Amino acid sequence: MIGYIVRRLLLVALVACGVTTLLFVLARLSGDPAELLSPPEAPPEVVEATRIRLGLDAPLAVQYAKALASSFTLDFGQSFAFHQPAAQMVFQRLAPSLWIVVPSIVLSVLLSFAIGVAAALRPSRLSGRLLMAGTFLTGSVPYFWLALLLVLLFAVNLGWLPATGGEGFTSLVIPVTALTVAAVSTSARLARGQLLDSFGEGYVLTARSKGVAPWRVLLGHALPGALPPMLAWLGIEFSFLFSALLVLEPLLGYNGLGALLIRSVANQDFPLVQASVFCMAMLITLVNIGMDVIVRLVDPRLRTKAAT
Amino acid sequence: MKIRGAVKTAATLRPPAGGGAGAALAMRDVEVSLPSARGSLRILRGVTFTVGRGEVVAVAGESGSGKSTSILAALRLLPPGARVTGSIVLDGEDVLAMPRRGLRGLRAGRARLVFQDPWRALHPMKRIGAQLVESARTADPGLSAAAARELVEHTLAGVGIPDPPARMRSYPHEISGGQAQRIVIAMALVARPAVLLCDEPTTALDVTTQAQILELLRRLNRELGISIVIATHDLDVIADVADRLVVMYAGEVVEEGPTAEVLSAPRHPYTWSLLRAAPGAAEGGRLRAIEGRPPSPAEEPAGCAFAARCPSVHEICTTTRPEPRHVLPGRASACLRAEGYGPVPAGGGR
Ligand SMILES: Nc1ncnc2c1ncn2[C@@H]1O[C@H](COP(=O)(O)OP(=O)(O)OP(=O)(O)O)[C@@H](O)[C@H]1O
Ligand SMILES: [Mg+2]
């Protein structure tokens, strides 16, 4: 188990280097930030001074080495546009984003579990089929469209909720609802399918043949068997929700990491782009590794194989 | 003998074997239909047999003959959508008419199942000890956790598991097939059941372990008076264990009687063919499988279901459906020609 975790953490380092390299290459291909940040008709000396100030005059190899080092020291330099340490800005914007993602995850897990169980218990009856049809319906609604619809209805027409971010908890309602609905449909279907598979397993029949009460058969026998794929899916869902923030936050005027990243890309603000992409990539990698570890803790079969 | 403690308790739980309190299991005209993609399939077509108190009865037949279905029907554990008619009396209870709660009690404490594949039967993610303790405590909700653990340890020792406390901490994938099957049997025994229904309890095991498990079942029957049903497709295996033999073919009982009598003088050509197909009967190492396949549950043969494969088939067999009937004292056969049918000399059938 320890060896497994160490191997996974090495993978994290590899992902960090990979992300940094990719960003570095893309950034150098995308144009000259020194010109972008200088006044429109600035003489070449001014542009050159900006270049030196931003450290863009050094040889590429030196710049790349600095970029690589930054992913370990977490010092990504000053934001070109905001003249603040990029890492610090990203860190400040992370919390508002997590305020959207984490409640969405929690809500979607609870809801999809409830829907999945309800549908799995009556797979061939009308109510079970209706539940599944419902998840297909909500699953086919794009989350950004749903968010706009909610803004229109609850913010513009009814005035119950703020249309933009920055107004405390009420600003969370619309993005969290949109993301939860988007996430629930897939995970509810997964939960139902996994539970149905589990119901067909010999160990569930064994539990029933022992006279175990139905709710204990469900929670104590069928659910554990269905859990590993559901946990693995949770990691993927986390990545999906985070990437959805790139669209949702600018759309709703919400000041999180997603909006920051989009803005810094538009500004060609390299340090800020690097810091925010790095932060997202690490978060997603760590969450997925965490899920892997949890799956191993839950399933003893994987544990013994991994230990050797 | 570690199970002596259990002997005493078991004896106080019910009248002595054969004490006239009705049969352990009585299936009468049991028909089972299971839903399938192409409509419902008749899996059992009127199965009738009885297991007396303290008896060991083997239910034999090829794959697909309906052994598992009969056993699952006896505990109403068939998949959802199954339609069951007829009458099933298990340990004095009318299983088909029982309310769910009572049924759970019956499963928990009085009639237990042992499945064919022990690894499929055990939960792969739960410790063996936890699974057995749960089994003991559903049977007797008054049992404390500590008392249940003690009972489990004793029972595991009784079925021949070395170092029970260590095994209880193991997970199913960490143990051998023979041990897993013993553990599954122990999981049933901690309930101190009156009836044990075993679905091919030895098929997944090697020959030596097979013999040990059957010996264990025989001993449990003798010492605890547990009535046992053993489903098997291998007649050789149960010859020494079963008091009576029920032979099934295509969802019907085709022959029934005391094991020794049925094996030495079968009254149904299917039994005879099965005997010839058994590995022990293969003289000079030659093994004869029964030619052809049994009819699928979707087919409805007009006459005898075995007619197409029968070595001594007669015209009437393809048009008239035979019903099981008494052919000798204690013997029943569903062959129209059972009276005229003697042991066919080996090799003389064709
Ligand atoms: N859930 C099901 N749905 C439809 N048909 C089924 C189902 N389960 C079993 N059957 C069919 O019922 C028939 C009897 O099956 P059963 O499992 O009772 O046979 P068996 O005698 O136990 O055979 P085996 O030796 O293979 O275990 C088979 O033809 C099988 O295909
Ligand atoms: Mg079977």
Side-chain angles (χ1 to χ4, degrees):
Chain A
M1 196 69 199
I2 302 293
Y4 174 78
I5 295 178
V6 169
R7 279 201 299 279
R8 286 284 124 156
L9 288 179
L10 285 180
L11 185 72
V12 176
L14 214 66
V15 169
C17 292
V19 166
T20 311
T21 307
L22 200 67
L23 282 174
F24 185 81
V25 172
L26 288 179
R28 305 305 124 152
L29 287 178
S30 65
D32 187 352
E35 253 172 52
L36 202 76
L37 286 173
S38 310
E41 280 112 32
E45 308 90 68
V46 177
V47 177
E48 195 53 37
T50 314
R51 199 186 310 281
I52 292 168
R53 182 167 54 83
L54 298 180
L56 295 171
D57 59 332
L60 272 185
V62 175
Q63 290 185 40
Y64 179 58
K66 270 173 89 178
L68 271 190
S70 69
S71 50
F72 293 94
T73 58
L74 298 185
D75 176 9
F76 297 93
Q78 296 268 322
S79 154
F80 294 168
F82 298 97
H83 310 293
Q84 286 176 32
Q88 191 189 324
M89 289 188 69
V90 164
F91 192 69
Q92 282 164 358
R93 299 293 195 92
L94 182 59
S97 289
L98 289 178
W99 269 112
I100 299 181
V101 171
V102 174
S104 305
I105 289 264
V106 172
L107 278 176
S108 72
V109 164
L110 294 178
L111 273 174
S112 52
F113 178 67
I115 295 174
V117 167
L121 287 181
R122 43 183 87 79
S124 49
R125 278 199 241 140
L126 185 64
S127 49
R129 288 179 201 271
L130 279 179
L131 273 177
M132 280 303 102
T135 63
F136 270 105
L137 207 69
T138 54
S140 56
V141 176
Y143 60 90
F144 46 86
W145 186 76
L146 180 63
L148 284 179
L149 208 68
L150 292 174
V151 167
L152 212 61
L153 185 61
F154 291 104
V156 179
N157 284 350
L158 296 172
W160 292 352
L161 294 168
T164 58
E167 315 234 343
F169 285 102
T170 46
S171 320
L172 290 174
V173 175
I174 288 176
V176 167
T177 310
L179 285 186
T180 304
V181 168
V184 153
S185 51
T186 323
S187 22
R189 262 175 281 159
L190 180 78
R192 172 186 177 268
Q194 289 302 325
L195 275 172
L196 276 181
D197 283 356
S198 201
F199 287 157
E201 291 286 349
Y203 52 78
V204 168
L205 189 60
T206 303
R208 292 208 296 136
S209 80
K210 290 197 285 196
V212 175
W215 66 269
R216 274 194 71 141
V217 173
L218 174 69
L219 296 180
H221 295 259
L223 185 64
L227 216 48
M230 284 159 71
L231 287 171
W233 170 251
L234 216 56
I236 299 170
E237 191 173 283
F238 184 81
S239 333
F240 158 72
L241 292 186
F242 236 96
S243 62
L245 292 183
L246 296 179
V247 177
L248 213 52
E249 284 185 358
L251 192 70
L252 298 177
Y254 197 91
N255 272 328
L257 197 51
L260 184 71
L261 177 57
I262 295 293
R263 177 109 64 93
S264 52
V265 167
N267 288 346
Q268 286 192 312
D269 192 341
F270 291 157
L272 208 48
V273 172
Q274 206 196 341
S276 36
V277 170
F278 182 82
C279 172
M280 279 197 181
M282 281 302 106
L283 209 61
I284 288 172
T285 314
L286 285 174
V287 165
N288 276 286
I289 288 174
M291 282 301 149
D292 262 18
V293 170
I294 293 177
V295 168
R296 254 151 231 267
L297 286 178
V298 169
D299 192 339
R301 287 167 297 181
L302 299 173
R303 209 152 61 219
T304 36
K305 248 183 256 157
T308 50
Chain B
M1 190 86 353
K2 286 282 185 1
I3 38 183
R4 195 175 296 137
V7 176
K8 230 186 297 156
T9 336
T12 57
L13 278 177
R14 56 177 181 277
L25 169 65
M27 310 259 289
R28 211 154 298 286
D29 270 326
V30 176
E31 303 215 0
V32 170
S33 300
L34 291 177
S36 80
R38 282 182 288 136
S40 94
L41 294 175
R42 281 183 73 201
I43 308 293
L44 297 188
R45 305 153 187 260
V47 166
T48 300
F49 66 88
T50 311
V51 180
R53 295 267 172 200
E55 235 184 353
V56 179
V57 171
V59 177
E62 282 170 296
S63 186
S65 54
K67 308 180 293 287
S68 303
T69 308
S70 305
I71 284 182
L72 291 176
L75 274 171
R76 237 168 78 186
L77 282 169
L78 289 168
R83 277 193 300 114
V84 185
T85 59
S87 122
I88 300 173
V89 179
L90 179 58
D91 199 31
E93 306 280 357
D94 182 351
V95 172
L96 297 182
M98 252 183 139
R100 276 170 197 277
R101 254 198 118 72
L103 190 63
R104 252 204 287 139
L106 177 72
R107 291 176 189 158
R110 290 152 63 189
R112 281 297 186 105
L113 263 172
V114 173
F115 293 100
Q116 170 170 354
D117 183 342
W119 279 297
R120 258 178 63 75
L122 290 168
H123 201 298
M125 290 155 72
K126 294 155 85 84
R127 285 182 204 280
I128 285 163
Q131 303 188 45
L132 272 81
V133 165
E134 182 187 41
S135 177
R137 296 184 78 185
T138 54
D140 180 0
L143 214 57
S144 74
R149 289 195 74 81
E150 199 172 316
L151 172 64
V152 167
E153 276 181 30
H154 271 95
T155 314
L156 283 175
V159 298
I161 295 285
D163 195 3
R167 273 297 149 257
M168 289 170 70
R169 283 190 299 273
S170 310
Y171 287 98
H173 68 275
E174 296 166 343
I175 58 178
S176 73
Q179 287 216 350
Q181 192 57 282
R182 285 168 202 269
I183 282 164
V184 169
I185 292 174
M187 183 151 74
L189 290 180
V190 291
R192 297 156 172 167
V195 187
L196 199 58
L197 302 160
C198 308
D199 191 0
E200 309 207 25
T202 62
T203 307
L205 310 175
D206 63 82
V207 182
T208 323
T209 323
Q210 262 184 12
Q212 290 170 353
I213 296 286
L214 289 169
E215 175 53 35
L216 169 67
L217 290 176
R218 181 83 250 192
R219 212 182 76 213
L220 292 168
N221 168 255
R222 294 230 175 89
E223 292 173 4
L224 305 181
I226 301 180
S227 316
I228 300 183
V229 179
I230 304 176
T232 178
H233 59 242
D234 188 350
L235 282 178
D236 269 356
V237 165
I238 44 77
D240 301 328
V241 182
D243 301 313
R244 276 188 322 114
L245 191 56
V246 173
V247 182
M248 288 190 68
Y249 184 76
E252 291 174 284
V253 174
V254 293
E255 178 159 15
E256 188 189 340
T259 308
E261 282 180 41
V262 174
L263 292 183
S264 61
R267 282 287 167 169
H268 195 287
Y270 176 64
T271 316
W272 178 79
S273 306
L274 262 188
L275 278 171
R276 281 209 340 166
E283 275 152 43
R286 269 186 64 211
L287 219 157
R288 293 162 194 264
I290 308 176
E291 278 167 31
R293 314 190 110 265
S296 84
E299 292 169 52
E300 289 282 349
C304 172
F306 189 57
R309 306 166 75 189
C310 184
S312 42
V313 61
H314 208 259
E315 259 171 59
I316 188 175
C317 300
T318 55
T319 52
T320 309
R321 229 183 99 104
E323 293 289 333
R325 61 209 163 82
H326 285 285
V327 288
L328 285 172
R331 302 275 309 266
S333 164
C335 180
L336 290 170
R337 306 177 65 222
E339 274 79 15
Y341 177 83
V344 178
R350 62 195 79 129

